[in-house]
Every structure is written in C-alpha cells, then in structure tokens.
C-alpha cells in the first residue's frame, strides 16, 4: 500500500458539489486517444507497453498542465492501492485488474489525469464537482491540444480519432454526470426516468460504471454516440438532458418536502440514528443512509453537517479507502466494523 | 377520559423486574369465582349485574386488602379509558369491549384487583414483577379467603369452583408468567420452545392474551388444566417449566454474548439509534427495539438506562397511554408521531 496519504486527502472535485448543484455530484469528461505508431494495448508486447507509457509520461512533463503530476506505474500498486484509485474514479475496473504495464498520471487535486494502456493508449480525464460540463470541456481540450504537440495521435480524416473499440471512434469523448436523485427514489420515479434516458440515446448506470447497481439513489448519465457529431453538440445534448432530470428531481423534492414532511424527517433522522450508532455497516447500506442525509441537508431538515463534509465521508468509507487508512487488508466483515467505527467517529463531534 | 393520572403513574409490578429475574417480566395469578345465588353474567339482566357488582364492591370494603381500593364502573369509562386499563393488564379484551355493567376493583400500586362481571362474576387477580409465583399465590389466596367470608362462592364438592366456562372449573386458577426471550428470538429457538411448551399441556401466547402476536420476543406461559389437580401443584408445574425456559434462554444469551458480541452490540445500538432519532414509530416496532435494548442492559452493553426505566417506557408508549397522557383521542398515524416524540424526550436526558 502506498496511497495512505491519498486515502486521507479530501477529494478536490467532491467538496465543490454544494448548494445549487446538489442534484449533480460531479461531472466527468474523458477523451480516448491512441498513438499512431503502436498497435492498440490489447495486442502490444510488454516492451511496447512500457515504451508507450514512457512516451506519455515524457509528454506530460513537457507540457504545462501535468508537468508536476504524479506518474504512477500500476505494476507497483498492490490490489488495495488499485482499488483505492478505482474508488476515487481515477482508473476503471478493467484497468485495476489488469497485470500489464498500465499507468496513471494524476494532476492537481486529483481532478485531471490520464489512464495509460487501458483499452486505449490514453484516456485523458477531467472530473469536477457539480454540473460543470463547459468548464470541464474547456480544460480537457486544452490538455488534449497540449499533448498533441508532442504525441502523434491516431486520426483519420474520415473516422476521426481511432480507438480500440469502435463505439469510441470519432470524437473519442465520453461526458458524464453523476446525479443524486433521492426524491425520485422515494416516490418511485427513478425507474421511469432511467428508462426514458436510455430511450433518448444516452446511457444511465450505477455509481461505478457499466453493470453496477444503483446505490444511494445515485446514477451516472453519459453520452452513447461519439461519431458523426461534434464534441460541443454531445456536451450540449447531455447538459440539456441532465437539466431535465434535475428539474424532475426538484419537482419530486418539492412534493416530498411539502406533503411528506413528517415522513421525510423520520427517514432522515432514522438514517442519522443508524449512522451514529451502528457497530457494523456495509458500504451499500452506508451509501443508502447517506443518500437520505444528503436529502435532509438539501431540504434544511438536517443541520448537523454540510454537503462537503458528507461527500468526503462518502469517499472515505469505500473498501480500499478504509484499508489504506488502517494500513492493512481486511476481510469484508472486519471492514464493516471499521467502517461503522469511522462513521461514528466522523459524526460524533456533530451530535 | 378519567385516567390521565393513572397513565402517568409508574406501574408497581413493572419496576420490580430488574436484575436476576430479567427473563421474567411479570407473574400473574387469577382466580375465577362466581356467586352462588346469581346466574353467570352472560345470562344476567342489567339489574342483576348491577346488584352483583354492588355486593362485590361492598365485600371489598369490608375486608382489609381492598378496603381502600378504587372501585370503577366500566360504563363510566370511555373507549380510551378501557383501552388504558387493558394495556395495564387490569381488564381483558372482552371486558374492555362489553357494554354491560362490568366493574373493576383496583388495589395498592395496581398489583391486586378484581374484574367484575366479565365471563365470571369475579376474576380476582394479582400481578407482580419478576418470577414470584409463590408470593403471588400467598397474597391471592389470602384475598380469596377474605372475600369468601362475605361472599358465598358457587362451589361443588365434586367439581370444585363452578365457572361459566368448563375449562376454568375446579380451582378456577390461571397462573402465568410473562417472559422476555431475546436470545431465543435472535437464534431462532423461540419457535421450537413455544411448540414444546404447548406439548407439555401449558399455553403460550403473545403479550396481550389469547390470539395475540409475539411482539418484542415476549411471551406469556400459563397453565391449561384447572381441574383434578391442586393449586399448589399447578403453580409448581408452571414454575418448573418457566425455570426450564429461563435456562434455555440464558444458555442462548451466553452463546450470543460470547460468540456474537459484535453483532449484539450492533443490534442494540442500532435500536438505540432508531429510538432516539425516529419521528414516527408504531407500538410494535418500539416493542421490538426495546426488546433489543433490554437484552443490551442485561448483557452490560447498554449502560445508558436501567431495566425499571425501560419497563415503564414500555407501558407508556401503548396506544391508550399515549392518548390519556395527551388528553385526546388520536388516529394511529398521529399516535406514531406522538409516540416517537415521547420516546425521544424520555431518552434524551440519557444520551
């Protein structure tokens, strides 16, 4: 384990998600890029993978945005380290579990970075708090321009950027927003909302990417199409859709706050009672309870803690974060005990 | 409503159930008696019922044990009053809902009393805390002797005391113990224990008598047979059976405390967290949670409150107690809110 300092850090993009944007926890854009002169990672030999990684590290050091970034070789990270990077949304599930010469460049406040030798040579990514698609696009395209000065990206005039999987070809962009929809969760509207989004050519899924469950009423919405459409148009479409979902969630919140205020208060404080008293707690249960607390803060019922405090707690109770913070691997049963201890300690001063 | 003072009183027999006897919440003995010169209540006219009640009130005043007791005419009690008396185990469900000329004599600290014109003319009853069958039998047989000086009980040399229902004929005695079996509840042993008891010719049922559900892991065990056997023998049989169940529960408690201590602590404090934070709570949920707290006190995990405090809280959160204490009838939804408020207020000083 090498990231115990990282595990105890607050996450830059998390503490920004207060106030107006409380429905949108974070915004993320990633660009898939490949180097012209090498095959895609899946068919590279080890030497080539190492060479690719070296070149990308070097290109980062030459530029401005990532010159002081941390350069991480994945084979030097144990399974808990990788899980930690996954939980902080810096690497994907596949990247965490590959044994090849993957890499990670991690920039300022962990908001900007590059995943190296995952499915593509580069996955350039930027994550920020709240709904901030335009700022994110501005920053990530600057980094893209900077890198393209020293790296020769695989690009076809007909197809655009070439990628290992054809679903990314063209712009290579995936833009996503992580939303918190507690009122749609309470009133049962979340299922219909998710079905509608899928029909509109966007993708909706759980907190940790493809195939993961909806926990704590949190979903990720992202674009499906990357080809035959500009990046600006993709981002604009996503923004309009997310705004619609926010409106729907906000209407549901008004309904719950106005006509179910006693029930809401009960749900919020029961969650608080369990979080401040339990001696065993799974990540999933904690996330569901914190989802209720988050709604409680939004509605003004819960005054004991604020959104930033809650967001950071949500990061720290994840399995690998717990293990890094204690400096050892733990079985799930032990983690549930340590998680409950951490939550009680965190909230104790707030009672 | 006339019993608001009663509703706020601590219950004499409840506060005694601390320490060693924590598995046995209360012990109760009742004797069914009828007056020789009148038909059973079900076939009496109103005048006769009133006459019977007058004679019994008079007999009580002549004796020592009940001369200062409260004499209550049921037709003067509204539905909330009757429900309150039911919740304090002074009258039966049937008695609470009859519109006839029923009565109740209620003696010192609500531990001794007589239900008048229920199924029989007299149901003499004594209730005390913990496992105290012998003391209960001593006191109730003294009252029986005292009353028989001024009342002529229906008695046959062949059958013993005559009663409206043949299942009570003979001794007219029903002795029962209310047990709290949280560890058998947690380990799943409660079902088998209840089946065994039924096979042994004893009756086991929920907290409020026949046909009621097991709530909060509390059961009542009582004798079935009243005929062809002495009172002493009935009491001795019950005592031996209850002692066996206590042993079984205590062994289950040891197992849970030793090998499931983390789980127990979690269950106890989750219950505490809900009780001290919820804004709506049904009686059934409160009873289940308080059952866990009770086990927590027994096992030394929960130090915030003691058994007597808990027992009194259990009485006060019952539907009619809540309504008497607030001086008005309330719908169940409103009661759940008021109950949660009362529990939080009660426990607030203990956090």
């Amino acid at each position: 384990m090498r990231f115990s300092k990282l595990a105890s850090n607050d996450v830059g993009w998390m503490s920004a998600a207060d106030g107006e944007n409380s429905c949108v926890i974070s915004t993320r854009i990633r660009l898939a890029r490949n180097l012209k002169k090498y095959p895609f990672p899946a068919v590279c030999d080890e030497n080539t993978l190492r060479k690719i990684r070296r070149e990308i590290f070097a290109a980062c050091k030459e530029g401005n945005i990532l010159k002081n970034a941390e350069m991480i070789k994945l084979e030097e990270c144990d399974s808990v380290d990788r899980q930690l990077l996954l939980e902080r949304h810096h690497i994907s599930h596949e990247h965490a579990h590959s044994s090849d010469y993957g890499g990670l460049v991690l920039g300022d406040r962990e908001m900007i970075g590059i995943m190296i030798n995952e499915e593509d040579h580069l996955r350039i990514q930027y994550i920020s708090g709240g709904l901030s698609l335009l700022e994110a696009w501005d920053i990530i395209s600057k980094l893209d321009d900077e890198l393209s000065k020293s790296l020769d990206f695989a690009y076809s005039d007909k197809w655009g950027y070439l990628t290992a999987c054809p679903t990314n070809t063209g712009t290579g962009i995936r833009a996503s927003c992580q939303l918190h929809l507690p009122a749609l969760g309470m009133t049962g509207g979340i299922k219909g909302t998710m079905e509608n989004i899928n029909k509109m050519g966007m993708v909706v899924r759980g907190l940790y990417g493809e195939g993961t469950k909806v926990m704590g009423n949190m979903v990720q919405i992202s674009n499906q199409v990357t080809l035959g459409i500009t990046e600006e148009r993709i981002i604009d479409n996503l923004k309009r859709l997310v705004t619609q979902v926010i409106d729907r969630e906000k209407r549901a919140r008004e309904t719950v706050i106005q006509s179910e205020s006693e029930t809401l208060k009960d749900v919020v404080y029961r969650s608080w009672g369990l979080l401040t008293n339990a001696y065993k707690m799974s990540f999933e249960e904690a996330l569901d309870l914190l989802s209720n607390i988050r709604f409680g803060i939004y509605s003004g019922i819960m005054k004991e803690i604020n959104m930033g405090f809650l967001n950071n707690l949500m990061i720290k109770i994840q399995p690998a974060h717990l293990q890094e913070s204690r400096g050892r691997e733990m079985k799930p049963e032990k983690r549930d005990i340590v998680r409950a201890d951490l939550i009680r300690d965190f909230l104790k001063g707030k009672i």
Side-chain angles (χ1 to χ4, degrees), chain A residues 148-166:
Chain A
S148 65
K149 283 174 194 157
S150 44
L151 297 172
D152 194 9
F153 291 147
Y155 183 84
S156 134
D157 283 339
K158 187 174 176 193
W159 298 111
Y161 291 101
L162 301 177
T163 54
C165 177

Side-chain angles (χ1 to χ4, degrees), chain A residues 55-84:
Chain A
E55 287 185 24
I56 297 170
F57 280 171
C60 291
K61 281 172 189 156
E62 274 168 40
N64 273 317
I65 299 174
L66 290 176
K67 65 181 171 192
N68 297 317
E70 196 160 354
M71 312 279 168
I72 297 161
K73 294 174 180 170
L74 275 198
E75 68 272 22
E76 293 173 0
C77 300
D78 66 19
S79 64
V80 177
D81 292 330
R82 290 172 189 222
Q83 180 68 23
L84 182 92

Side-chain angles (χ1 to χ4, degrees), chain A residues 98-127:
Chain A
S98 98
S99 57
D100 292 316
Y101 294 88
L104 176 68
V105 180
L106 196 53
D108 183 41
R109 296 175 72 217
E110 300 175 51
M111 291 169 80
I112 193 155
I114 303 170
M115 214 183 346
I116 301 169
N117 289 335
E118 198 233 24
E119 195 178 275
D120 297 300
H121 296 149
L122 298 92
R123 289 281 176 100
I124 307 168
Q125 47 195 19
Y126 181 80
I127 184 165

